[in-house]
């Protein structure tokens, strides 16, 4: 920034110019921006009276107030006294977890310069910092030092941007210490830059490193472990040397010229040294094998890879590799000779790679990671490696480094430094990863907090929520402030003509015989139904969905929270709501006997369930009864019940059967997943028994009408908003997904699954019956489900109409409309539908394609995470159930490796690996890859062979894995 | 995603202004007394525009041959110079840049309502606009510069037309947008007649939610009134100097 004359347009406001040069595409670009300097920026301290007049209300009239406490923390050591903190960028970036802790760091000033640097370096950390500033308890303020006349300095000639920013931050600290001197408040600047500390001290600013500041605090010992590692680690020893990453310019160039490839790396959960990466120019994923080739990448990182020479291309491993089975010189640590390959050869190699994949050879091109575009680092849950400390070790309270084994098996161990190793042993802990240097075999991180004992119910629950990135903290005050002031006393207005134009548009359906049918114990009732015969012989059928968008207005804090959570998460004994309880279980929930707002889809249908007419509108309903599935079923089956409500339900049942038949005729798939339900003992809340989920006709009744409503709504919003309509699609599975399964079927059973259409698939699945084994068909459906693509949300403009298809449901277009209480997609769809029928204008958030793309991306991710979290929760409880019982059950072999088999036990819905060692004698084993058959001598000395699809008797127990602290199903052939 | 906070929760914009503050506004009239009948220079922030007016004349220099003069009022012709150095990327604009053409049509329409037409039957008035630097608010600068140049040329107007752009950041209206803000936000440009609430010019090139428009326009009108005061002040200064000289 050059110094330019300042002009004063009005009193208290001056203008100067910010001049800088930006290089773009090789050219230099001089940019001049105006920069206004003003006096009226308050220091935000409660005790300062000079700034009183500077607190200006926001445009919508919200007053602004001083935030920094008049009685901040006092440190008597070093004569610091009562003080505020000013943070430098590096402190924020490295220690954001510590800043968020409620044990330390109150009354903190973030200079604007720092905020901008953080924003440019890491957007997620910027968001966390901004959230901290919103948090009333922490008293963090952003001080716009660059806009305040007294704390602004111009950039000097030849000064680097970095130096200039440092100087701005020091000036800001100086301003604060002078400004607050008369109130006997001091200011401490925290930075980890040694140079900056030195300069600041020379300028008379009280400056410290984060480490030395924390060491002055009374609760130091508690906080010490949470300090970021790069300040405390001093490592001389080089354990390994990973290849340095290529420079960004080289990466960019390589990707452009087609010699390097960018993609997201996916590390196998069976083998942590085997990664795969899908790149657009290759039909199949590339393999990345071994520690050195993976080159410090984490599962989920966006990386750049380079192909390896042809003689290193490999088959995917038919072995299972756990970290603990590898000693330091085992697989993956092979010495790699540096091979020099020219760019031209590399391109040729890429062509070979495509060819090799096309020829359906089992050799797969391999690659190595040469750069990381974006880290997927987040907080991780794990536990200390059991050998890091022994419980009975005497004394020795010195900080030592130990390894944390993460729950996610596809991730490496993390090295942390702690004094409390003994105390932390056997606990679930949260760690953050800080860095991974080329000379360190494992990444460095720091301790964040303890969740609780391993296997403790609450700790495990929190761990799995953290692991799946589920936001589970209580709703913040901002969010709760958006709820209706009346709370639980909120009621549908008595008079419908009270002048509210939106209320006037609602249809009064309180006379209709509406009821809801849900799983037992359901409190968030999204949907209710009614049906009646019309005078013309047709049927009127209504689906009524909770009118969540009446309460959740776009752009509010409540809406943002819902959008970021995107879905409710259902664990075995806990539900993490997307929306606050007040809405979900009361005001929106279509409870019986009370008036509720609803969004209704009303059809006229003929005898054969063909739609004659469809209408969409907002309504007021009064549900007559809330049934559980079984209860509804009993009532419909009971001939003595002849009341109108039951009659209506029978109409629904009949129509739903016809709808289902039509769907199946069109080729809808009936797939299976090994879903189980855990029964909780109501008194002790210990898991009691595991049961495979049962379905009655009433389930399918509700399901059919929900599907129909979703389809009808999807058509309507697509007509109105062809670019941004929120839809859901399910792509047809590529034939390659079924290759392995079909090959197994052919070899073992002489059967085949056809893939021409969903109809063909459905029919061929029906044909695959093994008369000796009634479960075989279900097993096959479970395995087929795993070969399918995942369904996904999308905004209509992103695909052509023919790609909208929902393969599994065999429908052209589909969306989610019927569960707005627990899915954000439905909330968006409600708003779009409301706009389509002219109820209210559509908020720009849902009209802007770019913004919709972000929303869609987030809900897809959250949806997936929620599913994983739900499954993990069941897995944990099933483990707890099995802990108490050891029994023999039927299992099916679903995978065969050269050193083990994977067995699925339908009774518990678990699958687990049985290693060859525990099957029998390793030396006598023989693996026939083409026949998927493993032959070995078992423990009794007799010859035994196992192949895929075999039914086997297994004894099931669960065993606590010493390394990960996870309880895993332990299977043994009986 | 913008690299910068366009409007911080503390209520400051990228350049340090609050939501309802204008940029630095400077103007001069009679800058080129020898080259034209009326001339003006307008600077709003870092946007700088020069305007030369010739007329009323019996033959318009910019008019295509054979264009008939109108018995009911003047024929306005408008020419916009947007040299490559004026914008950040030095790229040459095509001769008939569609955006500039549209802007010139809007300006013509606006000033045909502002000039006292009956005084100028069968005449031509040429307006030449030159952009010296652009940092947002193109149309507003044009409009203000034309008003001043027409006044300098002694052409009778019903009143000043002062213009400003107003944008919307989430729920907050922002007055007088600079180029950074224009890039990321939807905005509307309005031109107000004198001290009234009457709009002679509105242009919105993006989508704006209808329910926010009223707030934007009322903020814009306030801004225009302040600009009109500043322009009026300058005209009176120039008038005083003229009197002294005579
Ligand atoms: Zn102050």
């Amino acid at each position: 920034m050059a110094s330019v004359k300042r002009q004063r347009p009005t009193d208290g406001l001056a203008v100067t110019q910010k001049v800088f040069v930006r290089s773009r595409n090789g050219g230099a670009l001089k940019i001049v921006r105006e920069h206004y300097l003003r006096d009226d920026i308050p220091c935000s301290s409660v005790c300062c009276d000079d700034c009183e007049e500077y607190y200006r209300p926001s445009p919508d009239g919200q007053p602004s107030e001083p935030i920094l406490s008049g009685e901040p923390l006092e440190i008597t050591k070093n004569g610091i006294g009562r003080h505020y903190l000013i943070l430098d960028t590096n402190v924020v970036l490295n220690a954001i977890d510590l800043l968020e802790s409620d044990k330390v760091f109150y009354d903190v000033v973030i200079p604007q310069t720092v905020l901008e640097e953080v924003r440019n370096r890491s957007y997620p950390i910027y968001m966390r910092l901004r959230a901290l500033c919103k948090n009333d308890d922490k008293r963090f303020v952003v001080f716009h030092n660059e806009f305040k006349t007294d704390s602004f300095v111009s950039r000097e000639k030849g000064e680097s941007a970095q130096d200039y920013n440092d100087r701005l931050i020091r000036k800001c600290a100086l301003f604060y210490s002078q400004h607050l001197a008369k109130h006997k408040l001091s200011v401490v600047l925290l930075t980890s830059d040694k140079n900056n500390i030195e300069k600041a001290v020379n300028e008379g600013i009280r400056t410290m490193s984060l480490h030395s500041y924390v060491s002055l605090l009374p609760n130091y010992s508690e906080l010490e472990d949470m300090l970021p590692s790069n300040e405390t680690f001093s490592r001389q020893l080089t354990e390994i040397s990973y290849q340095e990453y290529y420079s960004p310019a080289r990466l960019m160039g390589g990707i452009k010229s087609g010699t390097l490839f960018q993609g997201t790396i996916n590390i196998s959960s069976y083998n942590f040294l085997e990664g795969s990466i899908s790149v657009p120019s290759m039909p199949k994923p590339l393999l990345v094998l071994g520690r050195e080739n993976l080159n410090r990448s984490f599962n989920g990182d966006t990386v750049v890879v380079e192909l390896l020479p042809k003689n290193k291309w490999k088959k995917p491993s038919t072995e299972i590799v756990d970290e603990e089975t590898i000693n330091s010189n085992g697989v993956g640590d092979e010495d790699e000779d540096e091979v020099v390959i020219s760019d031209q050869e590399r391109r040729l190699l890429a062509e070979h790679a495509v060819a090799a994949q096309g020829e359906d050879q089992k050799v797969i091109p391999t690659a190595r990671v040469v750069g990381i575009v974006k880290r997927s680092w987040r907080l991780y849950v794990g536990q200390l490696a059991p050998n890091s400390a022994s419980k009975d070790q005497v004394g020795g309270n010195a900080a030592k480094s130990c390894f944390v084994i993460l729950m996610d098996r596809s991730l490496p161990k993390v090295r942390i430094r702690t004094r409390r190793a003994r105390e932390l042993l056997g606990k679930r802990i949260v760690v953050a990863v800080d860095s991974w240097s080329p000379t360190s075999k494992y990444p460095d991180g720091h301790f964040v907090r303890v969740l609780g004992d391993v296997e403790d119910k609450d700790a495990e629950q929190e761990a799995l929520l953290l692991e799946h990135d589920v936001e589970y903290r209580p709703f913040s005050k901002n969010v709760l402030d958006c709820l209706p002031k009346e709370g639980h006393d909120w009621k549908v207005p008595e008079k419908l003509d009270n002048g509210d134009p939106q209320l006037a548009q609602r249809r009064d359906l309180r006379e209709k015989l509406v009821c809801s049918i849900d799983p037992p114990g359901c409190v968030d009732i999204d949907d209710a139904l009614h049906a009646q015969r019309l005078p013309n012989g047709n049927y009127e059928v209504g689906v009524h969905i909770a009118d969540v968008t009446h309460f959740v207005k776009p752009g509010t804090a409540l809406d943002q929270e819902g959008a970021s959570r995107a879905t409710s998460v259902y664990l075995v004994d806990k539900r993490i709501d997307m929306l606050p309880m007040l809405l979900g279980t009361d005001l929106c929930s279509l409870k019986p006997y009370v008036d509720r707002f609803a969004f209704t889809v009303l059809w006229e249908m003929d005898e054969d369930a063909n739609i004659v007419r469809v209408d969409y509108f907002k309504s007021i309903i009064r549900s007559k009864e809330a049934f559980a599935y079984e209860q509804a079923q009993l009532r419909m089956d009971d001939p003595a019940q002849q009341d109108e409500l039951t009659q209506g339900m029978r109409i629904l049942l009949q129509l739903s059967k016809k709808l289902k038949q039509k769907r199946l005729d069109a080729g809808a798939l009936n797939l299976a997943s090994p879903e189980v339900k855990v029964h909780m003992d109501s008194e002790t809340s210990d898991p009691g028994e595991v049961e495979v989920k049962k379905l009655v006709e009433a389930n399918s009744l509700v399901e059919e009408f929900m599907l129909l409503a979703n389809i009808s709504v999807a058509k309507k919003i697509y007509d109105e908003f062809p670019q941004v309509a929120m839809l859901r699609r399910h792509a047809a599975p590529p034939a390659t997904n079924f290759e392995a399964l079909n090959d197994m079927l052919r070899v073992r059973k002489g059967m085949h699954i056809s893939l021409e259409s969903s109809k063909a698939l459905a029919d061929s699945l029906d044909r695959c019956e093994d008369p000796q084994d009634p479960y075989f068909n279900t097993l096959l459906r479970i395995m087929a489900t795993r070969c399918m693509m995942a369904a996904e949300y999308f905004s209509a403009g992103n695909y052509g109409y023919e790609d909208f298809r929902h393969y599994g449901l065999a429908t052209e277009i589909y969306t989610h409309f019927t569960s707005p209480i627990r899915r954000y997609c439905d909330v968006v769809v409600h708003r779009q539908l409301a706009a389509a029928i002219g109820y209210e204008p559509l908020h720009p958030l849902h009209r802007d394609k770019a913004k919709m793309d972000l929303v869609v991306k987030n809900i897809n991710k959250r949806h997936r995470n929620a599913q994983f979290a739900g499954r993990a929760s069941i897995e944990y409880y099933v483990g707890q159930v099995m802990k108490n019982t050891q029994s023999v059950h039927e299992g099916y072999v679903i995978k065969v490796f050269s050193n083990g088999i994977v067995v699925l036990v339908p009774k518990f819905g678990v699958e687990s690996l049985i290693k060859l060692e525990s099957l029998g004698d390793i030396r006598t084993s023989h693996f026939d890859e083409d026949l998927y058959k493993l032959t070995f001598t078992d423990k009794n000395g007799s010859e035994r062979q196992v192949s895929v699809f075999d039914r086997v008797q297994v004894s099931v127990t669960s065993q606590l894995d010493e390394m990960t602290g996870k309880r895993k199903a332990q299977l043994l052939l009986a | 995603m913008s690299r910068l906070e366009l409007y911080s929760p503390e209520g400051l914009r990228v350049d340090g202004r609050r939501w309802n503050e204008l940029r630095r506004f400077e103007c001069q009239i009679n800058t080129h007394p020898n080259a034209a009948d009326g001339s003006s220079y307008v600077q709003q922030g870092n946007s700088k525009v020069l305007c030369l007016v010739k007329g009323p004349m019996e033959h318009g220099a910019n008019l295509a041959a054979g264009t008939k003069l109108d018995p009911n009022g003047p024929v306005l012709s408008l020419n916009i110079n947007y040299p490559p150095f004026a914008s950040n990327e030095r790229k040459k604009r095509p001769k008939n840049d569609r955006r500039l053409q549209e802007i010139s049509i809007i300006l013509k329409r606006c000033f045909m309502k502002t000039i006292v037409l009956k005084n100028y039957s069968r005449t031509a008035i040429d307006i030449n606009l030159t952009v010296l630097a652009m940092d947002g608010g193109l149309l507003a600068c044009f409009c203000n510069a034309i008003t001043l140049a027409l006044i300098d040329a002694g052409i009778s107007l019903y009143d000043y037309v002062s213009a400003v752009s107003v944008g919307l950041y989430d729920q907050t209206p922002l007055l007088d947008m600079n180029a950074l803000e224009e890039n990321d936000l939807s905005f509307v440009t309005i031109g107000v007649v004198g001290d009234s609430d009457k709009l002679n010019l509105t242009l919105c090139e993006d989508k704006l939610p209808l329910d926010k428009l009223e707030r934007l326009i009322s903020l814009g009108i306030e801004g225009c009134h302040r600009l009109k005061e500043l322009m009026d002040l300058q005209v009176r200064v120039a008038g005083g100097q003229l009197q002294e000289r005579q």
Side-chain angles (χ1 to χ4, degrees), chain A residues 469-673:
Chain A
D469 202 15
V470 175
E471 174 60 76
Y472 60 94
R473 282 175 294 189
F475 289 96
S476 70
K477 193 171 157 295
N478 286 347
V479 172
L480 296 175
D481 283 348
C482 302
L483 298 175
K485 297 284 163 291
E486 302 88 341
H488 288 284
D489 296 328
W490 179 90
K491 282 197 174 57
V492 167
E494 303 231 327
K495 276 174 60 188
L496 297 185
D497 51 350
N498 63 358
D500 178 349
Q502 291 200 332
L503 188 60
Q505 290 183 53
R506 280 185 193 273
R507 280 202 221 167
D508 187 352
L509 299 185
R510 282 177 286 192
E511 298 308 311
K512 302 274 179 196
L513 294 173
V514 173
C515 68
S516 61
I517 308 175
D518 288 288
C522 178
V523 281
D524 43 356
I525 304 174
D526 284 300
D527 50 83
L529 301 129
H530 86 271
Q532 70 188 66
R533 191 178 261 278
L534 294 171
N536 66 1
N538 285 348
Y539 297 105
E540 175 190 277
V541 178
V543 163
H544 315 277
I545 306 299
D547 191 5
V548 170
T549 53
H550 176 79
F551 298 97
V552 183
K553 296 294 181 204
T556 57
L558 177 60
D559 183 49
Q560 283 165 2
E561 184 69 25
S564 96
R565 293 188 180 210
T567 171
S568 292
V569 180
Y570 293 81
L571 305 184
V572 169
D573 60 345
K574 193 182 168 86
R575 188 185 70 232
I576 291 98
D577 291 313
M578 177 180 89
L579 297 171
M581 287 274 274
L582 175 65
L583 293 183
T585 62
D586 191 358
L587 304 193
C588 293
S589 177
L590 301 177
K591 299 197 294 188
Y593 331 124
V594 286
D595 292 355
R596 285 287 176 251
F597 282 160
F599 209 146
T600 296
V601 180
L602 195 74
W603 297 277
E604 185 181 331
M605 281 183 179
D606 65 14
E607 198 71 39
D608 297 322
N610 295 313
I611 298 171
V612 180
R613 219 163 58 85
V614 55
D615 205 359
Y616 315 86
F617 52 86
K618 296 238 179 176
S619 61
I620 306 170
I621 62 160
R622 190 182 177 91
S623 167
K624 301 295 172 275
E625 198 64 63
F627 294 110
Y629 287 127
E630 274 96 16
Q631 208 183 345
Q633 191 67 44
L634 287 176
R635 185 156 172 154
M636 287 187 286
D637 293 347
D638 179 1
Q641 299 274 6
Q642 286 301 335
D643 58 296
E644 276 190 71
L645 181 61
T646 319
Q647 302 274 19
M649 289 161 67
R650 289 193 188 119
I651 295 177
L652 288 170
L653 186 63
Q654 277 166 23
L655 290 172
S656 75
K657 285 180 182 164
K658 288 172 186 158
L659 285 169
K660 180 162 191 180
Q661 195 50 51
K662 280 188 198 177
R663 240 169 19 88
L664 292 178
D665 291 346
L669 298 179
N670 181 10
L671 295 171
S673 62

Side-chain angles (χ1 to χ4, degrees), chain B:
Chain B
M1 183 63 58
S2 171
R3 268 167 30 85
L4 300 155
E5 277 182 345
L6 286 179
Y7 184 73
S8 67
E10 289 76 30
L12 292 167
R13 294 157 67 174
V14 259
D15 55 5
R17 284 180 294 154
R18 293 192 191 277
W19 61 286
N20 57 354
E21 286 174 348
L22 287 171
R23 289 182 283 174
R24 171 173 48 114
F25 181 85
E26 275 170 39
C27 61
Q28 288 168 38
I29 68 170
N30 204 16
T31 49
H32 298 67
N34 303 324
D37 297 315
S39 52
S40 68
Y41 166 76
V42 165
Q43 182 174 355
Q44 287 180 262
N46 280 340
S47 297
K48 297 165 193 173
V49 167
L50 204 63
C51 180
L52 302 183
V53 167
K54 282 184 193 162
M57 309 174 284
E58 285 169 11
H59 303 287
N62 287 351
L63 285 186
T67 311
K68 284 226 175 86
L69 293 175
D70 185 351
N72 299 321
V75 174
L76 276 186
S77 66
L78 216 137
N79 178 40
I80 299 175
N81 271 318
Y82 203 142
F85 63 78
S87 51
N88 262 339
E89 299 94 44
R90 279 177 176 254
K91 66 163 183 250
K92 228 178 164 175
R93 263 153 228 281
K95 200 140 199 184
N96 38 10
D97 182 321
R98 284 197 44 196
R99 186 156 178 258
L100 292 183
Q101 277 183 338
E102 197 185 327
I103 281 181
S104 83
I105 290 169
I106 289 165
L107 285 169
K108 262 191 237 174
R109 246 186 244 154
C110 164
F111 282 96
M112 285 302 278
K113 277 187 256 165
T114 312
I115 295 172
V116 184
L117 299 181
K118 61 172 194 235
N119 291 359
Y120 304 102
S121 65
R122 295 183 190 286
T123 61
I125 299 174
D126 286 356
I127 300 174
N128 266 294
L129 288 160
T130 305
V131 184
L132 300 176
M134 189 36 61
D135 187 24
L138 181 71
L139 179 60
C141 289
F142 282 165
C143 180
N144 295 331
I146 294 173
T147 301
L148 289 171
L150 287 175
I151 289 172
D152 185 36
I155 290 169
S156 38
L157 306 177
Y158 290 108
D159 209 331
Y160 286 86
V161 185
S162 50
V164 76
S165 63
V166 205
L168 184 68
Y169 176 86
D170 197 18
Q171 306 289 312
T172 313
L174 301 178
L175 185 65
D176 197 6
M177 314 259 285
N178 65 28
L180 268 179
E181 293 169 329
E182 279 186 357
N183 273 342
D184 277 25
L185 308 177
S186 312
F187 65 98
V188 54
T189 304
I190 60 168
V192 174
V193 179
D195 291 327
S196 72
D197 288 350
K198 206 179 139 214
L199 303 186
N200 253 6
L201 176 149
T202 38
L203 176 68
C204 178
E205 293 168 292
D206 321 275
K207 280 186 184 167
L208 268 175
L210 201 60
D211 50 328
K212 297 287 177 312
L213 195 63
E214 200 182 317
R215 273 189 78 187
L216 292 190
I217 288 182
S218 69
L219 176 64
I221 290 175
E222 267 176 54
C224 287
H225 289 168
R226 255 181 287 158
L227 286 179
K228 187 244 157 187
E229 270 170 45
L230 292 169
M231 282 157 62
D232 192 47
L233 204 71
Q234 193 59 38
V235 168
R236 282 173 204 287
V237 168
Q241 284 168 352
L242 216 63
Q243 261 174 348
E244 272 169 35
R245 240 181 280 157
Q246 280 167 355

